[in-house]
Amino acid sequence: MQRIQPRAYVAGEFTLPGDKSITHRAVMLNGGAEGEAIISNALLAEDCLSTCRCMRALGAEIDVDGTTLHVKGTPRFRRGRELNCGNSGTTLRLLTGFLAGKEIDATLYGDDSLSSRPMNRVAEPLSLLGADVRTTDGHAPVYVSPKPLHGAEVELSIPSAQVKSAVLLAGISAEGETTITQPVQSRDHTERMLSAMGADIRVRGNRVTVKKSVLKGMNVCIPSDISSAAYYMAMGALKGETLCKNVGTNPTRTGILKAFDLLGVEYKLLHQYVSGGEPTADILVKKSSMRAISLTAEDVPSMIDELPLVALLCAFAEGESRITGAKELRVKESDRIATTVELINNLGGDCQELEDGFLIRGKKQLSGGDVNSYLDHRIAMTGAIGLLASERGGNLYHPECCAISFPEFFDKLDIKLY
Ligand code: S3P
């Protein structure tokens, strides 16, 4: 448990850790590619360490030097491995697709939270390519057995980058062409990295086509994670002024900036450049008075991990905000609709649970109170920001789970965890 005191004013410049989604992909794809690669500014949080652990078990060599990884890939994976994916849905889902295409057998499993999350969403589309992927009543452990794959037309019903990526990573080993159609564009880091590593891939709007390809190792310089920066950006909007440096601004990830536009948050993108195929910028955010917003399904994928934080900002905005089309939040590391509603109400806010989102009646100020993260890293960090911005602060239960994506989260706010 951590006591968090309110702060009247927060100003500062923050350098945030590397992007989680891009680190997973850089390690996984280079681990299964021909040749060697250097990955710089990698995120060494628990989720990405799960991907490193699995790739080493499959035969890739990965040396860690600070936040730089030296990866020697193995195009021929070791068979019969039991792969511990920890808390990481990205590790388990993407690797299931990658391994199905490699025609090997493996078992992928994870912790209690990961074992409760849906896995048929990857097993079913992969079966259209001929893959032999079995789940345990729709959950992990997931068993992959060797079977040659063929191309297929796959229409996804949910806008999930993890599912899309699993199919793409299987598709590069399939005979023929695989085309995926997604209902709304989700993050496209896999498409960008596959293309840069020599894969035969074409993107037209919401359709992506891949053909059989051999991946070549590629150096990757990873921008800072906008999903981690978002907490410090929110601090700026609520309490002063923050500058987050070298943040990835891939347009499939910048929904938080759209939410800022609607809320009336004052921000600026400075020093915009492209690094390793990904747009990057410094983001300056200033204290702003906010107004209520309305978000729907179209808005959700580009801010999926930031929605608990966006809901918290709505609790400080003038008027009634409505977020819908966000049912996917129910199957994250916690049921993030239920845990966010509890968080906001325990802080003294007024948030009502909808089947697929939230109704939030904003107040100028939240009193503070006790918040439980339910071991969900995004809920822990959203709770911490809510407490810092509240009148009295309060206790945060299970704060240490922020190590899943952002181990230095509390240090950078000068909060010592005991
Ligand atoms: C991720 C995709 C998203 C996101 C997760 C990371 C990825 O999940 O919530 O934190 O790296 O592909 P879904 O694909 O399930 O929406």
Side-chain angles (χ1 to χ4, degrees):
M1 187 269 285
Q2 177 69 39
R3 177 95 202 151
I4 296 189
Q5 301 293 353
R7 299 253 169 105
Y9 182 71
V10 175
E13 188 177 302
F14 299 95
T15 299
L16 292 321
D19 187 278
K20 181 157 86 71
S21 291
I22 303 177
T23 301
H24 279 302
R25 286 155 174 83
V27 171
M28 206 178 282
L29 299 194
N30 278 301
E34 282 178 354
E36 298 186 19
I38 297 172
I39 304 169
S40 44
N41 197 37
L43 172 67
L44 295 176
E46 283 176 19
D47 260 15
C48 298
L49 293 176
S50 291
T51 293
C52 290
R53 181 173 58 236
C54 293
M55 295 313 295
R56 284 195 181 110
L58 289 163
E61 287 175 31
I62 304 171
D63 292 326
V64 182
D65 175 10
T67 57
T68 302
L69 303 177
H70 297 258
V71 181
K72 190 165 176 210
T74 171
R76 211 172 283 282
F77 287 152
R78 289 189 193 128
R79 313 186 68 123
R81 300 285 138 173
E82 303 223 331
L83 303 169
N84 179 359
C85 303
N87 189 250
S88 174
T90 310
T91 308
L92 200 151
R93 294 193 177 118
L94 268 61
L95 207 43
T96 298
F98 207 17
L99 295 179
K102 297 280 184 186
E103 283 191 55
I104 66 158
D105 58 329
T107 303
L108 298 99
Y109 68 99
D111 68 9
D112 287 347
S113 156
L114 186 54
S115 305
S116 71
R117 298 177 64 187
M119 293 303 154
N120 277 341
R121 55 176 56 199
V122 282
E124 279 165 9
L126 288 173
S127 71
L128 299 175
L129 281 74
D132 184 351
V133 172
R134 275 163 301 125
T135 64
T136 307
D137 291 331
H139 300 96
V142 172
Y143 304 95
V144 179
S145 302
K147 205 146 170 244
L149 303 189
H150 52 77
E153 277 275 342
V154 179
E155 195 158 329
L156 299 182
S157 54
I158 40 172
S160 161
Q162 293 181 354
V163 178
K164 173 180 65 175
S165 300
V167 177
L168 289 173
L169 296 184
I172 56 168
S173 298
E175 289 304 332
E177 195 171 276
T178 299
T179 297
I180 304 166
T181 311
Q182 41 183 345
V184 183
Q185 170 78 291
S186 60
R187 65 191 66 191
D188 66 356
H189 306 299
T190 304
E191 291 92 309
R192 287 174 190 248
M193 205 173 285
L194 282 176
S195 167
M197 292 178 75
D200 189 341
I201 179 165
R202 200 153 37 100
V203 181
R204 283 155 300 152
N206 283 355
R207 279 167 73 79
V208 190
T209 301
V210 278
K211 291 188 191 157
K212 193 165 185 159
S213 309
V214 174
L215 300 181
K216 304 255 180 294
M218 181 190 75
N219 295 344
V220 185
C221 178
I222 298 180
S224 293
D225 197 327
I226 192 163
S227 297
S228 298
Y231 302 103
Y232 294 78
M233 290 155 56
M235 273 317 282
L238 290 165
K239 286 288 164 193
E241 183 169 315
T242 53
L243 178 67
C244 295
K245 305 280 287 176
N246 308 319
V247 181
T249 50
N250 177 317
T252 61
R253 294 286 301 282
T254 48
I256 183 78
L257 297 180
K258 175 171 182 192
F260 277 8
D261 286 333
L262 297 169
L263 283 159
V265 172
E266 205 186 313
Y267 72 91
K268 263 194 199 130
L269 299 189
L270 308 168
H271 303 124
Q272 299 190 55
Y273 61 100
V274 176
S275 164
E278 293 279 350
T280 305
D282 297 346
I283 305 179
L284 177 70
V285 183
K286 293 190 178 173
K287 183 169 161 57
S288 311
S289 55
M290 295 180 284
R291 55 180 178 259
I293 61 172
S294 175
L295 298 171
T296 58
E298 292 278 302
D299 304 309
V300 165
S302 65
M303 60 176 100
I304 182 74
D305 293 333
E306 290 69 73
L307 280 173
L309 184 67
V310 171
L312 177 72
L313 289 176
C314 292
F316 286 94
E318 170 107 47
E320 184 175 293
S321 295
R322 197 182 174 85
I323 301 177
T324 57
K327 217 175 180 169
E328 275 297 296
L329 291 180
R330 297 232 180 246
V331 290
K332 295 294 179 189
E333 286 84 331
S334 67
D335 173 344
R336 285 187 185 156
I337 294 184
T339 49
T340 301
V341 168
E342 183 181 308
L343 183 163
I344 292 174
N345 289 337
N346 284 5
L347 289 174
D350 181 351
C351 183
Q352 189 186 321
E353 179 167 344
L354 303 177
E355 193 204 342
D356 62 346
F358 316 95
L359 197 62
I360 310 133
R361 291 181 198 91
K363 299 184 175 180
K364 270 245 138 60
Q365 203 30 285
L366 301 188
S367 54
D370 292 347
V371 171
N372 193 334
S373 75
Y374 291 98
L375 298 175
D376 180 334
H377 55 130
R378 305 258 176 239
I379 299 298
M381 293 185 278
T382 302
I385 299 302
L387 288 167
L388 285 167
S390 70
E391 283 168 331
R392 293 195 319 265
N395 295 323
L396 176 62
Y397 291 89
H398 306 298
E400 60 290 336
C401 60
C402 68
I404 291 291
S405 63
F406 194 171
E408 314 92 334
F409 173 79
F410 288 101
D411 284 352
K412 285 192 190 287
L413 287 168
D414 277 333
I415 296 173
K416 297 265 166 296
L417 282 192
Y418 294 104

